Amino acid sequence: MGEILALVEARLLTALGEPDARAAVTFLGTDRIEVLRFVDGDVVRYATLGMSAQPMTDPTATLADPVRGPRAELILSVRAGLADTDKVLRPLAVLAASPQVEGVIVAPGASLDVGEPLWPGAPFSSVLVAEPGGLVEDLDPNEPAPGGPGRDGGPEAVGPMDPVRFLPLLPMTHNEAAWKRVRGAQELQERWLSHGTDLRDPLRASVDLD
């Protein structure tokens, strides 16, 4: 599905600028996942490219639809220079491949766990999937750009497909992940907000959960 990935990459570049680095990871039995790195002042953003090539399918479905179904890419934003966050490339690729490998649907409010620190010294092994739309707008791959090729100047539209959503990932400490399982994603996010938690700090401590 090179056509849709060209549209997705164009959307990422339009929103985030030119990446200063990119890496590719391939897992057995899955499509290649790329991770692009964008630097914006003191913030570095990592975005997956390849997760949206296939629609996510309900694992209980008897027959997978090769076209229709939710599509997404993942975006992680952290403060630069405080930790070796470039090591997050493989964990991000693992998460992006999870719909193909494990048959899960990644959606806002979900918790994703890689089972190891996201980068060396990180107090996080899991992330909360946040609502999309704030950083990179959803992409409708069925909508051609006016007067020519596909949206964002890419190839012609390839629909009918669900929109591609660009889902922010918010790292969670072990305690936060456990609290979220009991209280829910909304209450955890409200707790972060009320305490002024810097969710981009790659070395932050857990928010007060008492």
Side-chain angles (χ1 to χ4, degrees):
M1 297 297 292
E3 298 92 342
I4 190 171
L5 292 185
L7 295 173
V8 169
E9 183 171 1
R11 173 56 56 87
L12 285 171
L13 269 58
T14 297
L16 304 178
E18 287 291 331
D20 74 334
R22 61 198 302 158
V25 181
T26 303
F27 303 100
L28 183 64
T30 68
D31 297 327
R32 185 176 74 165
I33 302 292
E34 287 191 271
V35 180
L36 283 58
R37 186 181 70 184
F38 303 86
V39 177
D40 180 13
D42 67 343
V43 174
V44 58
R45 307 187 196 279
Y46 302 93
T48 65
L49 178 62
M51 181 179 176
S52 60
Q54 303 293 335
M56 293 180 279
T57 303
D58 187 332
T60 63
T62 56
L63 183 64
D65 190 319
V67 176
R68 295 187 181 276
R71 296 175 188 260
E73 298 289 354
L74 308 175
I75 300 178
L76 174 69
S77 300
V78 294
R79 300 210 176 278
L82 301 179
D84 187 11
T85 55
D86 282 351
K87 293 295 196 300
V88 79
L89 298 179
R90 184 172 181 84
L92 270 184
V94 169
L95 296 179
S98 61
Q100 293 185 59
V101 175
E102 302 175 20
V104 299
I105 295 180
V106 177
S111 300
L112 305 175
D113 197 319
V114 297
E116 60 183 20
L118 294 177
W119 50 81
F124 324 104
S125 65
S126 62
V127 295
L128 173 65
V129 182
E131 292 288 340
L135 188 62
V136 183
E137 293 183 2
D138 292 354
L139 168 69
D140 181 358
N142 310 301
E143 181 180 339
R151 192 180 180 111
D152 290 322
E156 293 183 0
V158 291
M161 299 179 181
D162 288 21
V164 177
R165 309 176 81 190
F166 298 87
L167 302 173
L169 301 181
L170 307 177
M172 294 186 292
T173 66
H174 175 75
N175 287 342
E176 290 169 343
W179 199 82
K180 181 261 177 185
R181 285 194 293 271
V182 175
R183 304 292 290 270
Q186 182 175 347
E187 286 203 30
L188 176 59
Q189 289 180 291
E190 290 174 354
R191 181 60 61 99
W192 282 335
L193 183 61
S194 66
H195 284 73
T197 306
D198 182 1
L199 297 175
R200 295 176 179 174
D201 181 351
L203 299 174
R204 71 173 179 84
S206 180
V207 70
D208 182 6
L209 299 171
D210 293 333

